Amino acid sequence: MSLFIVTVRLAGINDTNVNYTGRVEVLHKGKWGKICRDGWDMNDVKVVCTQLGFKSALAEFVGIDIKDENVSIVISKVDCRGTESAWESCSRTDGHDNCVDDTGAQAMCEPSKLAIEIS
C-alpha cells in the first residue's frame, strides 16, 4: 500500500464552500508554511492547481486579506515553468530569503466538477 502525502493546500478562507482559492501553504520539514509572493506568477499557480486536482488556474493573487502571523514563510523564489506535476519540482529557495510580502502567495483555481461535489 502506498501512502499519499499532501504537500500543498489552499488556506485562509473560512468558508467551507470555497476550497479553490486562498493562501498557498506547503508542507516543509513537517510543518505547514507560506510561500513568499515575490516572483509568484501564473505558471506557479498552474502547478499548484494541477497538483491539487483542479481544472486550471484562474488568478495568481486573489486580493483577499488572508494574512496569518502564525504561519511563517518557508519557501521563497518559486519559479515554475507551468508544466511540472508538483511544486516540489520547481526551482525554489528554502526559507524566508528577504521576502517583502508576508501575506504569502495566493491562488485561485478553476473548480472541477469533482472538486465542487466534494466540498
Side-chain angles (χ1 to χ4, degrees), residues 93-105:
T93 301
D94 287 2
H96 193 280
D97 198 40
N98 298 319
C99 185
V100 296
D101 186 352
D102 197 44
T103 302

Side-chain angles (χ1 to χ4, degrees), residues 5-92:
I5 298 174
V6 176
T7 60
V8 65
R9 68 183 181 189
L10 298 176
I13 306 239
N14 294 327
D15 184 347
T16 56
N17 292 323
V18 181
N19 66 349
Y20 55 89
T21 190
R23 180 181 58 246
V24 179
E25 293 184 0
V26 295
L27 188 60
H28 182 69
K29 297 183 180 178
K31 202 173 168 191
W32 288 102
K34 296 184 275 192
I35 294 177
C36 180
R37 210 178 86 186
D38 298 353
W40 185 252
D41 64 21
M42 281 302 288
N43 285 332
D44 307 320
V45 177
K46 284 179 190 175
V47 173
V48 167
C49 291
T50 299
Q51 186 173 359
L52 289 171
F54 291 106
K55 230 176 181 175
S56 65
L58 295 176
E60 47 82 27
F61 183 67
V62 184
I64 299 170
D65 183 15
I66 49 178
K67 193 173 189 173
D68 187 339
E69 302 296 337
N70 298 318
V71 181
S72 59
I73 299 285
V74 295
I75 300 289
S76 300
K77 298 181 180 174
V78 172
D79 187 19
C80 301
R81 292 182 310 276
T83 56
E84 297 88 348
S85 60
W87 73 270
E88 294 93 338
S89 300
C90 302
S91 168
R92 66 186 186 279

